[in-house]
Amino acid sequence: MTVPSEVGVIGGGRMGVGIAHAFLLAGANTVILERDADAAAQALAAIESAVLRSVERGSAGEDAATLLERCAVTTEVQRLATVGLAVEAVPEDPELKIAMLGRVEAVLADDAWLATNTSSLSIALLAAGLARPERFCGLHFFNPVPSSTLVEIVRGAGTSDELTDAARDWVHAIGKTPIVVNDSPGFASSRLGVVVALEAIRMLEDGVASAEDIDTAMVLGYKFPVGPLHLTDLVGLDVRLGIAEYLHGALGERFAPPALLREKVAAGLLGRKSGEGFFTWPEPKPTGEPHTTKDH
């Protein structure tokens, strides 16, 4: 089981850096594509920090200098012309993703693979403008990438068996477990996860229990690694709302976003990235554990 010798990641946010880091540790040269110099500098600082943490934990097979020599950040899409796999990880906006996928495919070699990290958007929709849809699939990584062990491989109608088999190998090679699902709204993970999260938000809205106790019920009662409200803060309330709105339109009323979720997003309470969501998050908080308060 091996990864491509060079992997490109489009988007150097939290997810993109995590994906690049995973492939870097598995032996690939990685290239992160960002929109401008400021974003590229932030992505470079983030990948450097991730590499140093992995070396300190003893989870990297190479020293930090060697790893970072194999990682580059660029603002030039042409730099991806030599990669064997490009993974798009820009925000969950269909128009943005379609535009970026088209730009990247245009510079890729004919035998390169292309994937999207979308958590819910239709693979068919994203592939509609591609010249080689058989070389395109979903690779849905989970947040935070370093500690998450699942990757959802999403087959579009045109995705080849060769790509599906190769994707399984890549996921195993980076130390994670693949599942394969067919293209459908929310795939398997987001569809199930959003149902639980939305019901937890409704319970909080209805005064059934505190955020802490709702999460504890799922962690201790059902062995969830983190509670659904904690996870929503990590994912971002705005991201959760966008996915819920998409699934509401595709699958019906059971995915209707609760008023509380809309209110918090409108108020800018987006979770960890804004410092407050269903919990209060001190800054900086590298461990991923929230400081909770009883009034959320």
Side-chain angles (χ1 to χ4, degrees), residues 80-106:
L80 301 183
T82 58
V83 305
L85 166 67
V87 182
E88 170 272 308
V90 301
E92 201 78 347
D93 178 314
E95 292 184 0
L96 176 61
K97 285 184 180 289
I98 289 168
M100 287 306 304
L101 288 166
R103 284 184 63 202
V104 171
E105 188 194 43

Side-chain angles (χ1 to χ4, degrees), residues 127-140:
L130 296 178
R132 299 185 293 275
E134 72 280 1
R135 305 194 72 82
F136 176 67
C137 72
L139 280 181
H140 177 205

Side-chain angles (χ1 to χ4, degrees), residues 6-256:
E6 189 172 28
V7 175
V9 178
I10 303 101
R14 182 177 175 86
M15 290 302 297
V17 166
I19 294 166
H21 180 229
F23 279 104
L24 187 65
L25 293 185
N29 294 325
T30 61
V31 183
I32 298 173
L33 175 67
E34 260 298 359
R35 65 184 180 275
D36 56 38
D38 288 343
Q42 292 176 18
L44 181 59
I47 193 70
E48 288 175 346
S49 177
V51 166
L52 290 173
R53 287 197 304 271
S54 62
V55 170
E56 289 169 0
R57 289 194 302 264
S59 58
E62 300 170 277
D63 60 60
T66 301
L67 286 166
L68 289 172
E69 282 179 2
R70 293 195 286 101
C71 182
V73 180
T74 184
T75 59
E76 300 296 329
V77 69
Q78 191 62 40
R79 178 62 181 81
L80 301 183
T82 58
V83 305
L85 166 67
V87 182
E88 170 272 308
V90 301
E92 201 78 347
D93 178 314
E95 292 184 0
L96 176 61
K97 285 184 180 289
I98 289 168
M100 287 306 304
L101 288 166
R103 284 184 63 202
V104 171
E105 188 194 43
V107 305
L108 292 179
D110 289 345
D111 61 352
W113 304 107
L114 181 61
T116 174
N117 184 51
T118 183
S119 58
S120 64
L121 295 176
S122 164
I123 301 301
L125 171 69
L126 299 181
L130 296 178
R132 299 185 293 275
E134 72 280 1
R135 305 194 72 82
F136 176 67
C137 72
L139 280 181
H140 177 205
F141 288 79
F142 289 76
N143 185 20
V145 176
S147 59
S148 298
T149 57
L150 177 67
V151 177
E152 196 170 29
I153 300 168
V154 187
R155 289 179 57 102
T159 302
S160 68
D161 291 340
E162 181 185 4
L163 174 52
T164 303
D165 292 341
R168 283 195 187 95
D169 283 347
W170 302 331
V171 173
H172 284 302
I174 62 175
K176 302 186 186 298
T177 300
I179 62 171
V180 178
V181 302
N182 291 318
D183 187 19
S184 61
F187 315 139
S189 58
S190 291
R191 187 165 170 174
L192 290 168
V194 169
V195 165
V196 174
L198 295 181
E199 190 58 29
I201 296 167
R202 291 188 189 98
M203 290 169 64
L204 186 62
E205 190 175 55
D206 292 344
V208 173
S210 68
E212 293 88 344
D213 287 349
I214 291 169
D215 274 8
T216 299
M218 300 311 293
V219 171
L220 299 184
Y222 289 88
K223 306 304 181 186
F224 279 35
V226 297
L229 297 173
H230 178 137
L231 183 58
T232 296
D233 270 14
L234 291 178
V235 169
L237 275 69
D238 53 337
V239 174
R240 188 70 91 189
L241 175 60
I243 295 171
E245 288 176 333
Y246 170 69
L247 294 177
H248 182 207
L251 297 173
E253 283 303 308
R254 64 190 185 277
F255 289 98

